[in-house]
Amino acid sequence: MKQYHSNIFKRAVTMVVAALLVMCASNVWAQTADPPSLVVNPGTTVCAGDEVVILAKNVGGTYNEDDWTITPSSGGAAPTKNYDAANHTLKLTNVTAGTYVVTLNQTDGDDLTVTFNAVNVTTQDRSFTGCWEEFQVNATLPDGFTGSWDGDGVVSKTDPKTFIKNPNGLYVWTATNGNCTFQEKWT
């Protein structure tokens, strides 16, 4: 009888060890896999008018253009969308200034959402004083951007609101955030 109990015990231990190995293997797989996500290219701050590409990473299933929702939460109108099912990418064109929330409605109910901002940089005001000896310029610098003036007589090259003394030639305000660059030029 002892032999009989010993075989049962060996089988039970073997089954428990096998079950633990399967559980460990499945846990390791789950931990190393990247979760599904949406990635905005060129980034979460983009230039108004630029093409924006959103990549759905590590998603399973088949999706079409109707599974994507683009909601302007401030500012612009909904851009034109074009979905590439083979590459899980959504291309947005005609993006105007504003904040957008993009959602991929997944079949399992676990929707993916990403937000991005499209910005304009413009010169707001050009006020002139004196007989062209000095004038003040006021440009816009959105959050996250760096800016600089180029031209002769600029008092502060990095201040969007500065004075230009004895203006002569071309003046350029450039605002940059990653790949997004705006320029405003005048003479």
Side-chain angles (χ1 to χ4, degrees):
M1 277 218 81
K2 289 182 181 181
Q3 182 67 31
Y4 177 75
H5 290 291
S6 176
N7 285 338
I8 291 175
F9 179 74
K10 285 181 184 176
R11 283 188 220 153
V13 168
T14 302
M15 290 187 334
V16 168
V17 169
L20 287 174
L21 289 174
V22 169
M23 286 177 14
C24 288
S26 65
N27 284 340
V28 170
W29 176 82
Q31 290 175 353
T32 59
D34 290 331
S37 63
L38 299 180
V39 177
V40 180
N41 186 14
T44 55
T45 301
V46 300
C47 299
D50 280 359
E51 177 179 279
V52 178
V53 177
I54 299 174
L55 169 64
K57 291 179 66 176
N58 302 314
V59 294
T62 304
Y63 299 96
N64 62 49
E65 200 166 293
D66 295 332
D67 295 319
W68 292 86
T69 306
I70 297 112
T71 307
S73 62
S74 70
T80 304
K81 63 182 179 178
N82 183 0
Y83 182 62
D84 177 356
N87 295 310
H88 292 292
T89 57
L90 180 69
K91 184 189 319 179
L92 303 176
T93 55
N94 302 319
V95 177
T96 58
T99 301
Y100 297 86
V101 177
V102 180
T103 304
L104 173 58
N105 303 302
Q106 294 198 98
T107 54
D108 65 3
D110 191 17
D111 297 343
L112 300 175
T113 301
V114 69
T115 301
F116 72 90
N117 295 305
V119 296
N120 280 329
V121 178
T122 59
T123 305
Q124 293 179 334
D125 182 30
R126 298 180 202 164
S127 41
F128 303 94
T129 60
C131 296
W132 288 98
E133 293 172 5
E134 178 180 279
F135 67 91
Q136 182 179 9
V137 288
N138 297 310
T140 302
L141 186 63
D143 290 340
F145 278 72
T146 58
S148 65
W149 286 102
D150 188 30
D152 293 335
V154 176
V155 174
S156 176
K157 297 277 187 183
T158 59
D159 186 353
K161 298 176 182 181
T162 191
F163 287 92
I164 299 177
K165 298 195 180 275
N166 300 316
N168 183 18
L170 177 67
Y171 293 90
V172 180
W173 170 249
T174 304
T176 305
N177 180 336
N179 293 329
C180 186
T181 300
F182 292 100
Q183 286 190 330
E184 184 78 22
K185 300 177 184 181
W186 69 89
T187 54

